[in-house]
Amino acid sequence: MAETPKIRFGFIGCAAIARRVSRAVALAPNAVLHAVGSRSIDKARAFAAANGFPAAAKVYGSYEAVLDDPEVDAVYLPLPTSLHVRWAVLAASKKKHVLLEKPVALNVAEFDEIIAACESNGVQLMDGTMWMHHPRTSKMKEFLSDVNRFGQLRSIHSNFTFRASADFLENDIRVKPDLDALGALGDAGWYCLRAILWAANYELPKTVIASRNPERNQVGVLLACGATLYWEDGKAATFYCSFLSNRSTDITALGTKGTLHVHDFVLPYEEKEASFYAATESGVDEAVTKWVPQPTKHIIETDISQVALMVNELARLVTDIKFKKAKPEKKWPTISRKTQLVVDAVKASIDRGFEPVHIQE
């Protein structure tokens, strides 16, 4: 029986994060680096040479040329958020499957254009939230779904912070209003809000209230912010994201019977090993000297990184569409859209003077 061909990836742009994804494509067993395009042919050549592209890979001096390459199956778009709707829609119109960096758009109206283009052209759409594809994530979900160990979800907190360099705060696209106007909210906050929705089984909160006194740069882009989310059944969640604080990537989920803690959810401390802590019916001993029972540490190992696992999953879906006439998986654009809706609500609350914002699908 003939081996199924690998899915051929084309890169639209040479952003810093594209280095990590190019390595992941090279590691994924069902994908291959096929092409890269930049507005500068010299930049594209240098990127391909530095990031493991095979000698036969195509190097183009424009984004359009990648999309016009009939051998490209899927494209990775690490472009500034302000360019997502234009290039993702064009990619879909050329029948290319799309791996789109987060945040997926500046607002949900833009993302709806991208979804419509992908659906009408029968192509798969997935965002680049890498931690979703780590096997630790499914193991944590097993614990959260166990009514005997975790009970009912009552509260969630998530944070993603890092202390950016002076050069980052001056020159990175994530602090430029014309390129990535959502700033820290769209970058780090996206991860936090996805974590909250994931823990809540993607049930949207009814109300969002942004925290007061967010930090901005001189041109008004958010450098740090947070919010509280409320559900009708009494659940609540908080998050904080920042370009100005020491690195942290945490999720705490509190249930009626158990607690989940993970301290490196965005990027595990080690590439091929990740852990989380689970506690059930926690208490203290009679002398109040220690916890009984104590939380248990769960360690999950992988053969390849979570980024390569993400690429592997997209390539699997594309393979099924291309060779088995499967339909695109709607799960991924659906949860991307819900995340964008909450990002929009946080921004709206900030813009309206920290008023409550009600979310409607």
Side-chain angles (χ1 to χ4, degrees), residues 181-220:
L182 295 171
L185 172 60
D187 184 45
W190 176 276
Y191 288 93
C192 300
L193 293 170
R194 171 62 62 81
I196 289 168
L197 290 171
W198 164 81
N201 288 323
Y202 300 105
E203 177 191 356
L204 284 168
K206 295 301 179 183
T207 306
V208 172
I209 304 176
S211 305
R212 292 185 175 273
N213 302 316
E215 298 187 70
R216 300 178 184 267
N217 64 10
Q218 292 180 339
V219 290

Side-chain angles (χ1 to χ4, degrees), residues 159 176 181 203 221 228 319:
N159 51 269
K176 301 295 184 182
E203 177 191 356
V221 176
T228 304
T319 297

Side-chain angles (χ1 to χ4, degrees), residues 158-161 247-251 262-267 269:
S158 180
N159 51 269
F160 179 14
T161 65
R247 187 173 186 87
S248 68
T249 59
D250 297 285
I251 303 170
V262 57
H263 301 301
D264 57 350
F265 83 95
V266 173
L267 177 68
Y269 295 139

Side-chain angles (χ1 to χ4, degrees), residues 81 84-85 89 100 103-117 125 182 190 197 204 333-348 357-361:
T81 310
H84 282 189
V85 65
V89 167
L100 185 62
V104 290
L106 293 175
N107 52 62
V108 78
E110 285 192 355
F111 189 55
D112 282 344
E113 291 185 49
I114 296 172
I115 292 175
L125 174 61
L182 295 171
W190 176 276
L197 290 171
L204 284 168
T334 298
I335 63 177
S336 299
R337 188 178 190 275
K338 288 187 174 186
T339 311
Q340 187 72 51
L341 276 169
V342 185
V343 169
D344 288 4
V346 175
K347 183 177 184 299
V357 172
H358 303 292
I359 294 180
Q360 295 182 337
E361 287 195 69

